[in-house]
Amino acid sequence: MTSLEDLPIRDDLRGRAPYGAPQKAVPVALNVNENTHPIPEAVAHDIVARVAAAILTLNRYPDREFGELRQALADYLGHGLDAAQIWAANGSNEVLQHILQAYGGPGRSVLGFAPTYSMYGLLASGTGTEWLSAGRDDEFELSAATAVAAVLEHDPDIVLLCAPNNPTGTPLSIETIEAVADAARGIVVVDEAYFEFAEPGTPSALTLLDGRPRLLVSRTMSKAFAFAGARVGYLAGDPAAIDALRLVRLPYHLSALTQAAALGALAHSDEMLAMVDEIRGQRERISLELSRLGFHPYRSGSNFVLFGGVDDPRAVFEHLLARGILIREVGIPGHLRVTAGTEAETTAFLEAIAVSAPNGANKMAS
Ligand SMILES: Cc1ncc(COP(=O)(O)O)c(C=O)c1O
């Protein structure tokens, strides 16, 4: 059989591993930060009706500029944004890829703050952009001083700020974002994939867009919106900065079915986002219980919790998997990450992990 080694693959892709979060059919899947609550049935019916209507026009290409969807996303975001300031694609991964294709590429660099979202490095290598990785402060925090020092040292073409950060959950202050936006020469992307899970009142980087044409804020419908399977991510920024993305996207990249489904979900945004408070509550419960068990959970503004103090992450991962609970090994020694699930899923996780806890199983009952 032919192996990859025999094929004329690009030299810079040789030896690289693809994105590979395990996809296993388990009763309790808490490994990829999805919203584990299903879409409300009434909303699902409306989405189906809209998709059914779109099917009747599938002989034609979809609206290449997805005007109605852009308007609906602008309305959802608020902040006085209009449709010309919005971009969208098949997941925010594709939005980020468009940015790297347009503003990165061979001879250019992108800076991130590790540990951070694993796709950033892969998107960099896929687009031939040099990946530069800077460190964080204690507890995976990122102060304005640390971030700006790295920007000045590396002078990257693109900075990727993950706010809150995956896999650590760490919120990023608006002061750090503003300082980076003002210090960087190139494009600054704030990835707000988990923004809706932040503490109420947390300012979004959207508040910094005015007068900053190189600042781009990406969001997704995959997380709080419970729409991961539909693949819809989007971006807000200056109309000119967004116009550049039209040079690299494939024609008609958002299918008519995707556009119809997203419009349906956005028409019911209140119902789609109804579980966010509940998920935040489960996240707090996880953090509290994990500390009581003797683990070290980190501050989280997302729908997941990273925790340290795990002697043997692989053994704990396997122990949970054997009980039908899938969480995530994120490659940080002594750490694991878990998504906040429904109350029942969270209970199953907490009960199962209590056995492996530094403080012992009976802490759970106390
Ligand atoms: C920080 C961050 N950004 C972007 C994404 C991509 O999400 P999607 O492509 O589903 O919008 C994820 C997914 O886990 C993420 O954690």
Side-chain angles (χ1 to χ4, degrees):
M1 210 173 72
T2 311
S3 89
L4 206 53
E5 288 306 304
D6 306 322
L7 294 171
I9 187 173
R10 272 166 36 191
D11 289 338
D12 58 329
L13 293 183
R14 260 182 217 289
R16 292 207 175 249
Y19 178 82
Q23 278 200 302
K24 290 183 194 291
V26 290
V28 183
L30 302 175
N31 68 327
V32 284
N33 302 337
E34 295 151 331
N35 186 329
T36 68
H37 297 265
I39 292 176
E41 206 173 324
V43 179
H45 287 307
D46 187 30
I47 294 173
V48 168
R50 289 166 186 257
V51 169
I55 286 175
L56 296 173
T57 67
L58 287 186
N59 56 312
R60 301 289 182 186
Y61 283 112
D63 174 6
R64 196 170 51 215
E65 303 305 336
F66 46 100
E68 214 184 329
L69 179 58
R70 278 178 156 177
Q71 187 59 55
L73 289 166
D75 294 344
Y76 166 68
L77 285 178
H79 294 275
L81 292 165
D82 63 39
Q85 291 168 281
I86 304 293
W87 184 249
N90 298 282
S92 52
N93 281 326
E94 191 179 60
V95 169
L96 297 172
Q97 186 177 50
H98 286 162
I99 297 170
L100 289 182
Q101 285 176 314
Y103 296 102
R108 295 195 171 201
S109 61
V110 54
L111 174 71
F113 296 87
T116 192
Y117 180 39
S118 62
M119 273 306 296
Y120 294 163
L122 281 171
L123 289 166
S125 74
T127 57
T129 313
E130 184 188 2
W131 170 245
L132 302 168
S133 179
R136 292 177 167 263
D137 303 310
D138 288 351
E139 299 284 301
F140 302 122
E141 299 283 337
L142 185 58
S143 67
T146 301
V148 167
V151 168
L152 297 180
E153 182 192 339
H154 295 288
D155 191 29
D157 297 284
I158 303 170
V159 183
L160 281 174
L161 293 174
C162 196
N165 187 49
N166 184 9
T168 61
T170 327
L172 186 62
S173 74
I174 198 82
E175 289 76 22
T176 297
I177 297 171
E178 187 169 13
V180 169
D182 293 342
R185 156 184 69 78
I187 294 286
V188 175
V189 184
V190 185
D191 180 349
E192 291 191 344
Y194 299 95
F195 181 78
E196 288 91 345
F197 298 109
E199 290 318 308
T202 302
S204 160
L206 294 172
T207 58
L208 301 175
L209 283 177
D210 249 1
R212 291 189 176 88
R214 292 176 289 100
L215 180 65
L216 301 172
V217 183
S218 94
R219 295 268 186 109
T220 181
M221 293 182 72
S222 296
K223 308 295 178 178
F225 245 94
F227 222 42
R231 312 304 301 126
V232 185
Y234 55 102
L235 174 82
D238 186 88
I242 284 172
D243 222 21
L245 308 180
R246 295 171 60 243
L247 296 170
V248 296
R249 61 94 182 270
L250 296 174
Y252 317 106
H253 68 289
L254 275 177
S255 85
L257 304 182
T258 304
Q259 293 186 43
L263 282 166
L266 286 161
H268 298 274
S269 53
D270 287 352
E271 294 138 278
M272 293 293 280
L273 294 168
M275 299 317 289
V276 165
D277 284 347
E278 158 70 14
I279 294 167
R280 233 190 259 119
Q282 295 305 322
R283 174 193 78 202
E284 290 309 298
R285 181 180 164 218
I286 292 172
S287 297
L288 202 70
E289 287 298 337
L290 287 178
S291 330
R292 291 203 317 150
L293 289 167
F295 292 108
H296 180 81
Y298 292 83
R299 197 163 80 93
S300 174
S302 62
N303 67 337
F304 57 87
V305 177
L306 178 79
F307 55 101
V310 187
D311 282 346
D312 186 347
R314 177 102 286 242
V316 175
F317 174 89
E318 294 293 351
H319 163 82
L320 293 172
L321 190 56
R323 282 148 192 81
I325 302 161
L326 183 60
I327 65 165
R328 189 76 176 269
E329 290 183 279
V330 289
I332 308 174
H335 289 69
L336 287 167
R337 192 194 70 191
V338 63
T339 306
T342 61
E343 186 175 1
E345 289 169 332
T346 302
T347 301
F349 161 73
L350 289 170
E351 284 178 1
I353 201 164
V355 178
S356 325
N359 289 353
N362 39 12
K363 276 277 164 186
M364 271 296 294
S366 65

